[in-house]
């Protein structure tokens, strides 16, 4: 493994826990601590913790902060008026392709935070600086590499956090989904990427290890990126680099719901392209009807033409293989299609997303 890989403040803790470490977008990150399946079930049935410190928090401050974000993002931050509320959005290029998907936190008109994907972080910040310069905006960007972040996920997440941090109890009880409490460099957000209730906690990197150790001592299960991927796929959540990239329109990644066009005077970057280019495919779910495991890039054959799997796995919760696939627009939920798995044609049924919500199979 390259010595140039970046490491989070918990790298030594991961080694001591005998985590299997892999190169994830230039970061040396734990993929599992022994059993990816046990880690997956821990989140569905109890509580697990993920080190997500490789993701980057970017503080956006200044008198033009709101104006900047209304031009930068396809979703409209004017929908945020209560301090602490969060918004999920795509950041588009002028051709309507997705530069990144990110969460925006609103603290005040002049104080915001963005959380961007690890692999996109450097290009994201460079793009934001170009936008600020292009429109001569009075905005300051502050990448917060000094912060670390943990995702504590699962039906027992709130109670376990309150157990080790009793002073947080009232905040944890009061937080609504997709909102956050922010004080100094501590952010407690009720967000997640697993389809379960959960919280993402950001704090200074030099404070994260005792917090991590307290969680482990309270029987919160350390979970790696492997379980994070099976959980997010069951939850039907798109992953940058799999379901979307700079050549993908949001509609082709199942993200039309994040595009806010109500204010016709808001000329966000990529808006014109969304009106010019119609999506050529749509993202749907697949359930394999026979034995096998669907994986990324496998061809899908339908009566309306070919498609491709963007993410696939064996679902630990459901016990059969599931996938997200980009399929011809005419394909609909309930159709039967064929997936090429190692040269064999295997039957699968098309479905809507998600597959699992709050630990239960979703039927559409």
């Amino acid at each position: 493994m390259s010595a140039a890989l970046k490491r989070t403040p918990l790298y030594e803790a991961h080694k001591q826990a005998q985590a299997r470490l892999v190169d994830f977008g230039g970061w040396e990150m734990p993929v599992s601590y022994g059993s990816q399946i046990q880690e997956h079930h821990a989140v569905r049935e109890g509580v697990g913790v993920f080190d997500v410190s490789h993701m980057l928090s970017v503080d956006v401050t200044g008198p033009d902060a709101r104006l900047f974000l209304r031009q930068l993002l396809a979703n409209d931050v004017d929908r945020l008026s209560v301090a602490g509320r969060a918004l999920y959005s795509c950041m588009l290029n002028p051709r309507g392709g997705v530069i990144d998907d990110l969460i925006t936190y609103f603290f005040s008109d002049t104080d915001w935070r963005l959380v961007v994907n690890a692999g996109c972080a450097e290009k994201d910040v460079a793009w934001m600086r170009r936008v600020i310069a292009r429109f001569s905006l009075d905005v300051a960007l502050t990448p917060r590499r000094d912060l670390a972040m943990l995702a504590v996920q699962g039906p027992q997440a709130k109670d376990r956090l309150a157990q080790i941090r009793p002073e947080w109890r009232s905040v944890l009880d009061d937080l609504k989904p997709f909102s956050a409490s922010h004080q100094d460099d501590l952010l407690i957000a009720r967000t997640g990427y697993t389809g379960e209730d959960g919280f993402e906690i950001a704090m200074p990197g030099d404070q994260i290890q005792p917090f991590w150790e307290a969680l482990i001592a309270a029987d919160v299960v350390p979970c790696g990126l492997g379980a994070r991927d099976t959980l997010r796929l069951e939850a039907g959540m798109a992953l940058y680099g799999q379901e979307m990239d700079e050549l993908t329109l949001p509609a082709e990644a199942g993200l039309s719901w994040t595009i806010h066009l109500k204010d016709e005077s808001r000329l966000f970057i990529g808006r014109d392209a969304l009106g010019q280019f119609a999506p050529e495919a749509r993202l749907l779910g697949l359930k394999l009807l026979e034995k096998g495991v669907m994986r990324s890039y496998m061809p899908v054959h339908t009566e309306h033409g070919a498609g491709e799997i963007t993410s696939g796995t064996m679902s630990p919760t459901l016990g059969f293989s599931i996938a997200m696939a980009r399929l011809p627009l005419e394909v609909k939920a309930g159709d039967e299609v064929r997936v090429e798995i190692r040269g064999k044609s295997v039957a699968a049924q098309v479905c809507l997303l998600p597959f699992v919500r709050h630990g239960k199979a979703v039927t559409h």
Side-chain angles (χ1 to χ4, degrees):
M1 190 174 292
S2 170
L5 291 177
K6 291 172 278 194
R7 296 168 173 172
T8 77
L10 290 171
Y11 171 74
E12 291 298 333
H14 299 321
K15 282 186 63 178
Q16 290 174 11
Q18 299 185 320
R20 185 163 72 88
L21 298 163
V22 299
D23 179 352
F24 182 81
W27 289 79
E28 195 169 359
M29 298 298 293
V31 68
S32 80
Y33 298 81
S35 171
Q36 178 180 328
I37 300 299
Q38 290 180 9
E39 293 163 22
H40 180 105
H41 289 312
V43 173
R44 285 278 179 257
E45 299 166 6
V47 56
V49 57
F50 303 83
D51 179 13
V52 291
S53 303
H54 56 315
M55 300 178 73
L56 179 63
S57 297
V58 182
D59 287 347
V60 180
T61 56
D64 291 338
R66 181 182 288 273
L67 176 61
F68 164 61
L69 294 172
R70 293 195 80 209
Q71 293 175 313
L72 182 76
L73 303 177
N75 212 335
D76 190 353
V77 297
D78 266 6
R79 302 171 72 185
L80 301 176
S81 57
V82 177
R85 292 309 303 266
L87 187 74
Y88 175 70
S89 181
C90 291
M91 182 168 65
L92 305 180
N93 60 33
R95 298 183 299 278
V98 182
I99 295 175
D100 200 2
D101 63 320
L102 52 86
I103 294 178
T104 301
Y105 293 100
F106 167 66
F107 305 130
S108 76
D109 277 342
T110 58
D111 187 9
W112 305 69
R113 174 170 294 174
L114 308 176
V115 179
V116 304
N117 284 303
C120 304
E122 291 185 9
K123 74 165 186 177
D124 286 358
V125 173
W127 173 251
M128 293 175 200
R129 293 196 191 285
R130 285 176 59 189
V131 173
I132 292 169
R134 174 185 171 189
F135 293 103
S136 302
L137 298 172
D138 189 356
V139 174
L141 291 185
T142 308
R144 299 298 305 273
R145 278 294 176 211
D146 57 316
L147 299 181
M149 185 158 59
L150 298 182
V152 183
Q153 297 284 302
Q156 298 175 15
K158 185 172 72 172
D159 288 342
R160 208 60 58 87
L161 281 168
Q163 175 185 334
I164 66 168
R165 291 289 188 273
E167 66 275 21
W168 292 1
R169 168 57 85 176
S170 61
V171 169
L172 296 169
D173 284 340
D174 292 343
L175 271 185
K176 296 179 180 177
F178 241 68
S179 61
S181 172
H182 178 235
Q183 183 171 13
D184 299 325
D185 283 337
L186 173 66
L187 182 135
I188 304 171
R190 196 166 196 169
T191 55
Y193 194 53
T194 63
E196 300 296 331
D197 190 17
F199 299 83
E200 294 187 332
I201 315 295
M203 62 176 63
D206 59 5
Q207 299 175 17
I208 202 71
Q209 183 153 345
F211 182 54
W212 169 271
E213 291 172 351
L215 289 164
I216 303 305
D219 294 328
V220 178
V221 176
C223 301
L225 296 171
R228 185 171 165 84
D229 195 53
T230 53
L231 288 159
R232 72 93 191 169
L233 211 165
E234 286 186 346
M237 295 184 180
L239 173 66
Y240 196 84
Q242 295 294 121
E243 279 67 48
M244 67 189 117
D245 57 27
E246 294 199 31
L247 300 177
T248 309
L249 297 172
E252 296 170 334
L255 296 173
S256 294
W257 63 274
T258 69
I259 308 300
H260 202 262
L261 302 172
K262 187 175 181 180
D263 182 352
E264 296 181 356
S265 67
R266 188 174 69 93
L267 302 178
F268 63 85
I269 296 168
R271 179 167 188 151
D272 288 345
L274 296 182
Q276 295 173 10
F277 304 115
E280 297 180 352
R282 61 187 301 208
L283 194 74
L284 288 164
L286 294 180
K287 298 177 180 177
L288 201 64
L289 300 176
E290 304 174 37
K291 290 184 178 178
V293 180
M294 297 181 283
R295 299 294 186 191
S296 303
Y297 311 116
M298 286 181 172
V300 182
H301 299 287
T302 84
E303 64 178 67
H304 302 289
E308 184 180 64
I309 290 176
T310 54
S311 297
T313 191
M314 175 63 72
S315 165
T317 301
L318 301 175
F320 54 81
S321 182
I322 59 173
M324 288 192 272
R326 197 162 290 127
L327 301 172
L329 295 172
E330 296 84 359
V331 176
K332 61 183 183 302
D335 288 356
E336 186 169 314
V337 299
R338 309 292 298 187
V339 181
E340 277 188 43
I341 301 179
R342 297 179 178 177
K344 183 180 177 183
S345 176
V346 182
Q349 186 176 50
V350 180
C351 64
L352 300 177
L353 300 169
F355 300 96
V356 176
R357 183 68 73 198
H358 298 307
K360 305 294 183 184
V362 177
T363 56
H364 297 284

